[in-house]
Structure formats: structure tokens, C-alpha cells
Amino acid sequence: MTEIILHEPLDMHLHLRDGAMLRIVAPLSAHSFSGALIMPNLVPPVTDAESMRAYRKRILAAIGDETFEPYMTLFFKPEYDLDFLAPMAEELTAVKLYPAGITTNSEGGVSGFDIEELRPALGALSELGIPLCIHGETGGFVMDREKEFVPIYEALADAFPDLTIIMEHITTAESVAALDRHPNLYATITLHHLLITLDDVAGGMLQPHLFCKPIAKRPEDREALLQAALDAHPKVMFGSDSAPHPQHAKECPGCAAGVFTAPIALPALAELFARHGKLENLQHFVSSNAQRIYGLNPPKKKVRLTDTPMRVPEKYGEVVPMFAGEEIGWSIDAVSVK
Ligand code: DOR
Ligand code: ZN
């Protein structure tokens, strides 16, 4: 039997939603992760200290006794400034910027990327040392959206050299390459983008549970992502972008974007890293890099995984997970909190 013990695993991009959905999905992440960066795209989005604090309380109530830190974010608005952000800086781990209308619940996001217009808000984040997480896609052709956004990432990185910019859920070789050109650019990579290409989504019968934004790309893109993750690129972190939608919102015309991976993420990652002979690098990808980049000190948690297969449930509540009903070669054997 092969095993790995992960210390303080972190999911640096997680959608927990609210209400009944929050109560179903939050305990699943809280069981195996020490903490997660919580996305603010609720309806309405989390845009002030009061709603951020209230959401954090609802998350803590939903996870019960689990040891888990919800690292909170705010939905970026161009009108943010130093006076607005400074009083909540201690409680904010990051601010998340969405281009307007690019994905689920992002209608109130940014239109156009005029650096001078964004200067008060981004200057304030830079001054306060709050990282900016960006969903980097233009409104162009769906396969080219992320590639077209790279010059915007680069312009922002140059204009705000002291601002930590996280390119969220990168899916292309161009994004991986951009990491090495700017000291202040970092990235998260999802589990599903390490595993699938567009062929898995739409190459045969349409697979709604693998449909997400950004859409999965070409084999050479997945290869570049895999290499960065498996080699423990120091600027790359695991962010699942686990995005639960009820089954009826996925299996219908107008399928919602999002892959639900939270409960299977660590076993599937262990299987992937083991298959490539890189298990020793998983700790960097799922925790150490994020701790260093964000300056986090997560609650202690040890997760022991072994190469004992697990059968993935068909559903968690009304949500169908990735690999529903299938077997994953690895499973969680024990979780301990020191
Ligand atoms: O597939 C996605 N789902 N991509 C996102 O950017 C948002 C997410 C969601 O909130 O459902
Ligand atoms: Zn997301």
C-alpha cells in the first residue's frame, strides 16, 4: 500500500454558495481541508464588510465541529478605495475581480480594463497588501478568452508591481508562461483542468457536469498545467473552483457552468500525482505554496491518503460530483487535528 500524509491542505478557490446548498457542500470541504479561499459571487455578491462577516458566520455554522478556516474575499468593485478597504483589511484574504457577465453571478463585475480608472482601487489593495484574484477571460471566442486576457494580466502586473495578482483557474499554456515573466503574477489550477480537455466535455455525448468556465482547452494546454502542478512550480496553487449547481440546473438547456469536485479533490489529486511519480510534490501544490504566497497560517490538520479505491457517490444532496458512480484509485484514510 502506498500512502501520503498531507499537512494543512488548502483549496485556494472554492464556491460554497449559501442557504441549503452551503449546508450540504461546506462540511465536505471542511472535513478534508484546513481552509479555503471562499468566492464572493453570491446573489447579491459580497461587496462590504457587513455581508462578508455575516457570510463567514453562516459558513462557520454550516461546518459544525470541523477545523476549517474560511478565508474570505470581497467581490471587486472599481469604486473601492483605501478608506473603504482599510477597516476590513485584517479580515480579508483577497479581493476577487470578475469581468462583467463572464460567468455565474458576475453581472456586477468590471467592464473594460482602464488602468487609470482602476488605480484608486488597485492602488489601495497594493498598499494594504491584499492580493487580487482575477477571473481572466475576455468576451472573445470561447477558446481564446483566456489567451486574450494575458496582456491584461501583464499590464496590471506592470502597473501595480507591489500588488499580488492571482490568475485564477488557469487553463492555457500561455498563462503558465506568463507566470515566469512577472514576479507578482501567481496562479491557481483546478483538479478538472489537470484531468480533462474539451474533448471530454463535448467530443462525444455532451457532458454537462464537466462544463465550466473557463472551458477546458487543448491537450497541449493540459500538459502545460500538469507540468506546472506536478513539478510544484512555486507560483502555482491548488484552487478547486468546485462550483456546485443542482442537477436540474446542469442537466437542461442552458446548463450552468461549474464542476463539483470538493469531496473528491484530495483523493483524485493523490492518484494523479502518484501516477506521475510526483507524490512528494503534492504538499507544495495543495498547501505550502499557498501559505507562502498568501502568508497564511492555517489550522493544523493531517490527512492520510492511501491507494485504496473509493466509489464516488452519485450525488451529494442534489449535486452530481465529478466521477459520480465511478472509482478513484485513492481515498482518504484518516483526518486528524492536532
Ligand atoms: O465554472 C464556473 N463556475 N466558473 C466560474 O468562474 C464560476 C463558477 C460558479 O460560480 O458556478
Ligand atoms: Zn470560481
Side-chain angles (χ1 to χ4, degrees):
M1 188 166 63
T2 314
E3 69 158 49
I4 183 169
I5 295 174
L6 294 174
H7 297 262
E8 290 80 61
L10 296 170
D11 179 349
M12 297 311 291
H13 185 130
L14 179 65
H15 297 271
L16 287 180
R17 316 301 190 203
D18 214 338
M21 181 68 94
L22 169 67
R23 289 189 287 275
I24 291 169
V25 301
L28 301 170
S29 286
H31 178 63
S32 55
F33 288 91
S34 266
L37 191 72
I38 310 300
M39 291 299 121
N41 61 332
L42 304 181
V43 186
V46 180
T47 51
D48 58 48
E50 201 186 329
S51 55
M52 185 252 291
R53 287 173 192 140
Y55 187 33
R56 184 169 186 278
K57 276 194 190 148
R58 296 198 296 281
I59 294 168
L60 292 176
I63 64 174
D65 293 339
E66 300 285 2
T67 299
F68 177 81
E69 183 62 37
Y71 295 106
M72 303 307 290
T73 64
L74 217 55
F75 186 104
F76 180 87
K77 299 295 252 179
E79 46 281 17
Y80 291 163
D81 60 15
L82 201 54
D83 288 345
F84 179 80
L85 292 168
M88 63 181 114
E90 290 301 304
E91 299 155 86
L92 259 189
T93 301
V95 168
K96 173 75 186 286
L97 187 155
Y98 291 90
I102 202 69
T103 187
T104 311
N105 305 335
S106 63
E107 291 71 22
V110 172
S111 310
F113 280 82
D114 182 322
I115 296 227
E116 288 322 307
E117 232 169 83
L118 297 175
R119 192 169 289 283
L122 298 190
L125 291 177
S126 177
E127 198 170 326
L128 294 166
I130 301 173
L132 177 70
C133 301
I134 303 183
H135 181 123
E137 290 194 284
T138 67
F141 178 65
V142 69
M143 287 294 279
D144 297 333
R145 288 175 188 177
E146 185 174 307
K147 190 163 68 179
E148 289 172 0
F149 202 90
V150 169
I152 303 178
Y153 277 131
E154 301 205 80
L156 292 170
D158 283 339
F160 302 95
D162 298 327
L163 177 63
T164 293
I165 298 175
I166 322 280
M167 306 192 286
E168 291 298 330
H169 43 52
I170 59 170
T171 61
T172 66
E174 288 83 2
S175 295
V176 175
L179 280 174
D180 295 331
R181 291 197 295 267
H182 299 269
N184 54 333
L185 279 187
Y186 301 85
T188 56
I189 301 180
T190 73
L191 167 68
H192 48 285
H193 291 116
L194 291 174
L195 295 176
I196 65 171
T197 68
L198 185 57
D199 255 6
D200 297 291
V201 186
M205 304 257 275
L206 191 65
Q207 301 300 319
H209 298 290
L210 298 181
F211 172 64
C212 64
K213 299 292 179 67
I215 192 95
K217 304 290 187 316
R218 298 175 172 80
E220 54 271 32
D221 293 306
R222 179 182 56 181
E223 213 38 57
L225 302 174
L226 256 180
Q227 199 155 29
L230 294 171
D231 290 351
H233 189 301
K235 299 176 87 179
V236 159
M237 305 167 269
F238 174 61
S240 69
D241 199 13
S242 177
H245 293 277
Q247 187 171 18
H248 65 80
K250 297 287 287 175
E251 297 176 9
C252 64
C255 166
V259 184
F260 182 56
T261 54
I264 55 122
L266 291 180
L269 283 171
E271 181 180 41
L272 177 69
F273 276 64
R275 178 152 38 92
H276 289 272
K278 295 281 186 173
L279 259 188
E280 74 277 10
N281 284 345
L282 185 53
Q283 180 65 37
H284 296 283
F285 183 58
V286 297
S287 187
S288 323
N289 287 353
Q291 290 191 46
R292 173 175 35 79
I293 293 164
Y294 275 95
L296 303 176
N297 183 19
K300 296 285 175 231
K301 191 175 272 189
K302 275 200 281 194
V303 181
R304 180 172 187 267
L305 295 123
T306 62
D307 58 353
T308 310
M310 72 175 271
R311 174 77 51 189
V312 179
E314 294 287 350
K315 284 197 215 180
Y316 293 88
E318 282 307 301
V319 189
V320 178
M322 190 180 191
F323 297 129
E326 295 175 38
E327 204 168 78
I328 297 181
W330 280 63
S331 54
I332 294 178
D333 171 69
V335 177
S336 70
V337 198
K338 276 181 269 176

